[in-house]
Amino acid sequence: MQKTKTRYFLVDGIRGIAIVNMVIFHFLYDVFIVYGKYPLWYGLPEIHIWQQMICGTFIFISGFVWSWGMEGNLRRGIRFNLYGMIISLVTLIVIPSETIWFGILNFIGCAILLMFPLQKMIKDISPVWGVGICFLLFTICKQIQYGYIGIRDLVQMQIPDILYSIKILTPFGFPFSGFRSSDYFPILPWMFLYLCGYFLNKIFIEHNGWQQIAQKRIPFISIIGSRTIWIYLLHQPVSMLICKLLFD
């Protein structure tokens, strides 16, 4: 069991930067999409890249710190799934058109739990190879929800349609016809990015220089980064209240 008593504030800082970006992103989403001020905004390529980078950062960091939270990971995994279910229920009732099914909190909750059996299966893999292989698999499986695997515009292989007709496979990356979620992060491909973080941690703990750098604080941002879950849960209601005051 890997433990750490040292606080790596740079990790908090990276999370802090990501949550600040997420708050801004969701506020703009509410203005442009929910309130219809610029319906084309979400379809812009640069906005998609921004959104993927924000969520990818949270997923990668969650995988990176998994080994440091072994004692609380079971509770953490269950808690994240409960938070995700609550968000699904709230969005279904309050904003049905923007209902979230298997969003990032449910993914992270499931990834935390899946790591218990997975760590035993991958314990002998070289961390360098682990990062490389998992990133390659993440890239290859990135379009799996759209029906194929491979590298876009280069090499692609169609996935059998039958996998997308079984509703229970939707959380795994095979959404059924008609499925819609305003925030969808399935097991595939995102588990591979989570594993990239897990393997990078193994490399990190062997480098004292990296550890010394990671103990540096990013003023204010590192504090925000240590409270990301509460900011995540509270920022959207606040954003919607501000939009209501501005536009209703």
Side-chain angles (χ1 to χ4, degrees), residues 178-210:
F179 172 78
R180 188 182 183 284
S181 174
S182 62
D183 184 39
Y184 175 52
F185 286 86
I187 299 298
L188 298 176
W190 296 99
M191 192 66 205
F192 293 123
L193 186 61
Y194 194 95
L195 285 166
C196 281
Y198 173 81
F199 280 116
L200 186 64
N201 178 275
K202 291 183 173 293
I203 300 173
F204 172 83
I205 61 175
E206 298 298 326
H207 289 77
N208 291 330
W210 292 11

Side-chain angles (χ1 to χ4, degrees), residues 136 139-140 148-157:
L136 177 62
T139 303
I140 291 172
Y148 65 89
I149 58 175
I151 300 175
R152 197 170 191 174
D153 300 325
L154 188 61
V155 179
Q156 296 179 1
M157 184 175 71

Side-chain angles (χ1 to χ4, degrees), residues 15-33 41-42 47 50-51 54 58 221 224 231-232 234-236 238-240 242-243:
R15 274 193 298 225
I17 293 170
I19 197 66
V20 168
N21 273 271
M22 180 171 283
V23 169
I24 296 170
F25 179 90
H26 281 158
F27 177 72
L28 294 176
Y29 183 94
D30 293 340
V31 173
F32 294 139
I33 305 302
W41 179 80
Y42 191 61
I47 299 304
W50 184 27
Q51 186 250 7
I54 294 168
F58 282 121
I221 296 296
I224 292 175
I231 295 172
Y232 183 91
L234 296 174
H235 82 278
Q236 189 65 328
V238 172
S239 176
M240 286 301 295
I242 293 172
C243 288

Side-chain angles (χ1 to χ4, degrees), residues 13 38-39 55 74-75 94 130 139 145 222 234:
Y38 183 27
C55 294
L74 179 60
R75 293 191 303 274
V94 178
T139 303
Q145 71 185 79
S222 290
L234 296 174

